[in-house]
Amino acid sequence: MNGMPRDITKQHITDSFNILSRKYQLDKITVNMIVEAAGISKATFYRHFLDKYDVMNYNYKRALDEIFARNACKSWNELFLNILTFIEKDVDRVKHAFLYLGANSYEQYVFDYSFNRMKEKCIEKRGVELGDDEIYTAKLIIYGCVYAVKDWVFSKKRITKQALALQIDNAIPDKYKALL
């Protein structure tokens, strides 16, 4: 990995982690396992990530950032179709990520990062931050979305991603739909 550009090395570490996380739950994965799978030193790992949770969370951050970067979410329906498509491609890895409920949980990171993206979109669209009276509604929307997606991931009789995206879109008040 020496001499590889930073982004390529970071992606290689993430890919190696993802291979492990398809087989093992997060509490069974160690940094040693990741560096061995990636063929890198611990120093290289720590130049790119704080810990294994940081790698796990980077997956979601990267996916959401890519969706927004290619402007693939002109509506909540489109946003969730893209997110669910991302999840569907690697559902076992996402299940294992959601199973960990301790400090640095994937669930909490997904909420925090999604809520921060919503706040950024609010500033971008309206030129002002969410008001105090809007913050709890926005949090409720994001929590609801995270739990709906988590339930979908674990459901044995899963509805289609199109049906879930539409249900989420229908549940969001128009005032908040305008933020995308």
Side-chain angles (χ1 to χ4, degrees), residues 17-178:
F17 171 83
N18 289 344
I19 290 167
L20 292 168
S21 66
R22 287 180 195 109
K23 294 182 198 177
Y24 306 104
Q25 290 184 21
L26 186 64
D27 60 342
K28 303 292 184 215
I29 298 172
T30 65
V31 171
N32 285 338
M33 290 169 71
I34 299 167
V35 299
E36 184 176 316
I40 59 168
S41 68
K42 276 189 176 182
T44 298
F45 176 88
Y46 287 116
R47 271 196 296 279
H48 297 278
F49 295 102
L50 299 173
D51 53 30
K52 66 183 180 180
Y53 308 102
D54 197 25
V55 183
M56 174 185 66
N57 295 336
Y58 177 72
N59 278 306
Y60 178 74
K61 178 190 179 312
R62 186 188 62 206
L64 195 59
D65 289 351
E66 285 176 11
I67 290 167
F68 278 106
R70 59 176 205 268
N71 204 19
C73 53
K74 293 177 178 49
S75 70
W76 286 86
N77 190 5
E78 287 180 37
L79 172 63
F80 276 91
L81 274 174
N82 279 281
I83 290 170
L84 295 169
T85 298
F86 163 74
I87 290 169
E88 202 171 48
K89 291 176 185 173
D90 208 355
V91 73
D92 288 336
R93 182 187 58 75
V94 175
K95 275 183 185 178
H96 285 155
F98 270 127
L99 284 171
Y100 178 74
L101 299 175
N104 301 310
S105 74
Y106 184 68
E107 188 173 300
Q108 187 63 49
Y109 180 82
V110 169
F111 168 79
D112 291 340
Y113 193 73
S114 299
F115 182 68
N116 287 330
R117 287 305 303 246
M118 183 184 220
K119 290 189 322 186
E120 290 170 10
K121 285 302 239 179
C122 180
I123 293 168
E124 178 184 313
K125 293 281 185 171
R126 300 188 326 188
V128 295
E129 293 184 8
L130 288 168
D132 291 341
D133 59 327
E134 299 171 307
I135 288 176
Y136 286 102
T137 303
K139 286 182 176 182
L140 179 64
I141 290 167
I142 299 299
Y143 272 126
C145 292
V146 171
Y147 284 105
V149 168
K150 182 179 178 183
D151 187 59
W152 181 80
V153 165
F154 286 97
S155 178
K156 288 185 173 65
K157 295 183 180 181
R158 185 179 302 155
I159 62 174
T160 67
K161 63 186 174 192
Q162 293 82 0
L164 179 57
L166 184 59
Q167 286 181 21
I168 290 170
D169 187 64
N170 288 337
I172 296 173
D174 289 339
K175 176 180 181 177
Y176 295 89
K177 283 183 182 180

